[in-house]
Amino acid sequence: MRDRRNPGNTHIGFVERNPGYARAIESLKEELEAVDWYNQRVDACKDPTFSKELRDYLFTDKPLAHE
């Protein structure tokens, strides 16, 4: 299928044929925005001890739930 706006683009319609793809991209963008927001909060923190705690808590790969 050709894109009438860009004749060299033969991949037009991919998102239209795969609506889950567009939702996945939007979800990924939201997650990246959240990470950026958390980084801004850590950077804005003036207390070095609390800043370290925030960074450790927000950016850990360990389980957050208590067992």
Side-chain angles (χ1 to χ4, degrees), residues 23-47:
R23 286 191 297 272
I25 294 294
E26 187 60 33
S27 178
L28 180 59
K29 285 174 20 181
E30 290 171 1
E31 292 298 323
L32 292 172
E33 288 170 356
V35 169
D36 180 50
W37 187 87
Y38 292 134
N39 262 326
Q40 290 176 35
R41 300 294 73 76
V42 170
D43 290 343
C45 183
K46 302 296 183 205
D47 181 349

Side-chain angles (χ1 to χ4, degrees), residues 7-9 14 17 19-20 22 36 38 42 47 50 53 57-58 67:
N9 185 356
F14 178 80
R17 290 190 312 268
D36 180 50
Y38 292 134
V42 170
D47 181 349
F50 188 60
E53 291 295 322
Y57 178 75
L58 293 172
E67 295 192 20

